[in-house]
Amino acid sequence: MTAADRAAEPAAPASGSTAGTGASAAGAPRARLGAVGLVLGSAFSLQFGSAVAALLFPRAGALGVVALRLIFSAVLLLALFRPRLRGYTRADWLAVAGLGVALGTMNSLFYQAIDRIPLGAAVTFELLGPLVLSVIASRRLISLAWAALAAVGVHLLAAGDFGRLNVGGVAFALAAGAMWVAYILFNARTGARFPKVDGLALAMGIGALVSAPLGVISAGTALLDPVTLGLGAAVAVLSSGLPYTLEMLALRRLPAATFAVLMSLMPVAATTAGFLVLGQHLGPAQLLAIALVVAASMGAVRTSRG
C-alpha cells in the first residue's frame, strides 16, 4: 500500500472510544481539500505545458511539437506502468486503438488551434464538446438552460476583439472538442477492459504512432535539435506525466462527479497560463465569456450526474 493509499483511508476508531471517529471525521475534509488541490494542480500543469508547447511552435511547428509530446509521454507511461500485451481480445484492442487515435487526433487539432488563437479561447471552445455530451446525457429540461448559458458565452467570445479570433483556429478548437468526446467514450471502454492505467499507456503509444509521421513530415530534422528535444520532454512531463499522476491520486479521495466539475475549470487555468507565459491579455468581455462557459459546463456536469 502506498503512502497515498494510507492517507486516503480513515483512521480506525479506538475500542470503546469516539476519539478515532473524530480524528477520521476531522481528517476527511482535509483529505478532500488536498484532493481538490491535486486536481487544480493537474489542470494548471496541463495548461502551462500547452503554453510551453506554443513557445516551441517556431522551432518545430504545431504538428512537430505534438509528435514530441506524445512520443515522450508514451515512453514515460510505458516505462512507468509496463502494461502487459497478452490476454486481450480483439474488442479490447479496438477500444484501446480508438482511444489512441482519439488522443493523437485531439492533440493535433488542439495544437493547431493554439497556433492560431489564444490558449484561453481555444480551451473554452474545446470544452464545448464535453459540455454538449453532458447536456445530451442528462435529458433534463434544465440542461437546455446550461446550453443557452454556454451559447451566450461563446457569442461574447466570438463577437469580441479577442485578438480578432482566427476562424481556422476556432474550427480546430471545436474539432478538438469533438475528439475530446470520442476520447471520453473510448476512455470509459478502455478503463473497463484494462487494469489500472495499462490501457492509457498503450493508447498513448498508439497516439504517438499516429502523430509521429505528420510531425516528421512537418518539422523534419528540426525535431532532432537538442533544445527542441529538451523542451519537448518538458512539455510531455507537464502535459501528461504530472497531470495523470495528480489525477490518479485525486480520484482516490474525490467522487468522480466532483472531479468532473473541477476539470471544468480548465479554461481558467488556460487563460492564466496564456497570460503569464505567452503574454495573451484578455478584456472584461472575454473573461466574462469564459466564466459563462465554465459555469455552464459545471452545471451540465452536475445535472447529468444528479
Side-chain angles (χ1 to χ4, degrees):
M1 180 181 290
T2 66
D5 291 324
R6 289 193 296 270
E9 285 191 338
S15 177
S17 169
T18 59
T21 304
S24 175
R30 287 196 295 269
R32 181 159 294 192
L33 185 61
V36 169
L38 292 174
V39 177
L40 295 178
S42 168
F44 278 92
S45 178
L46 176 59
Q47 298 309 330
F48 273 85
S50 296
V52 173
L55 294 176
L56 265 177
F57 290 167
R59 286 180 170 271
L63 293 177
V65 176
V66 170
L68 285 178
R69 174 196 164 176
L70 293 182
I71 289 170
F72 279 118
S73 297
V75 170
L76 179 64
L77 292 179
L78 291 170
L80 283 176
F81 300 107
R82 299 180 183 179
R84 63 183 177 90
L85 301 177
R86 296 181 179 180
Y88 297 115
T89 65
R90 181 172 178 272
D92 296 336
W93 283 111
L94 285 175
V96 82
L99 180 59
V101 171
L103 265 172
T105 307
M106 177 179 68
N107 281 283
S108 296
L109 291 168
F110 179 70
Y111 276 29
Q112 291 285 350
I114 64 175
D115 193 27
R116 293 166 171 80
I117 62 176
L119 181 59
V123 175
T124 302
F125 282 117
E126 186 189 31
L127 186 64
L128 294 178
L131 192 155
V132 169
L133 181 62
S134 294
V135 169
I136 293 174
S138 172
R139 298 179 182 178
R140 295 183 180 183
L141 190 60
I142 192 174
S143 296
L144 297 178
W146 300 127
L149 187 64
V152 173
V154 169
H155 174 74
L156 284 175
L157 194 59
D161 59 351
F162 198 166
R164 291 187 172 84
L165 288 180
N166 178 279
V167 175
V170 172
F172 276 122
L174 292 173
M179 292 309 302
W180 194 351
V181 172
Y183 166 81
I184 292 170
L185 297 175
F186 278 112
N187 200 16
R189 295 181 187 178
T190 301
R193 294 173 178 272
F194 290 80
K196 299 179 181 178
V197 292
D198 285 11
L200 177 61
L202 293 170
M204 191 67 75
I206 294 172
L209 292 176
V210 169
S211 65
L214 293 175
V216 171
I217 292 172
S218 173
T221 57
L223 294 177
L224 302 178
D225 177 73
V227 175
T228 302
L229 286 172
L231 290 174
V235 168
V237 172
L238 285 171
S239 298
S240 298
L242 184 57
Y244 293 143
T245 301
L246 293 176
E247 288 172 13
M248 280 192 295
L249 293 173
L251 281 168
R252 292 174 180 172
R253 309 179 191 183
L254 280 179
T258 303
F259 176 84
V261 169
L262 290 171
M263 292 301 287
S264 298
L265 294 172
M266 279 291 185
V268 177
T271 301
T272 304
F275 174 73
L276 294 177
V277 179
L278 303 174
Q280 296 172 345
H281 298 276
L282 309 178
Q286 288 73 47
L287 291 173
L288 175 60
I290 291 172
L292 291 176
V293 174
V294 168
S297 179
M298 287 182 171
V301 169
R302 289 184 65 86
T303 299
S304 67
R305 286 164 171 76

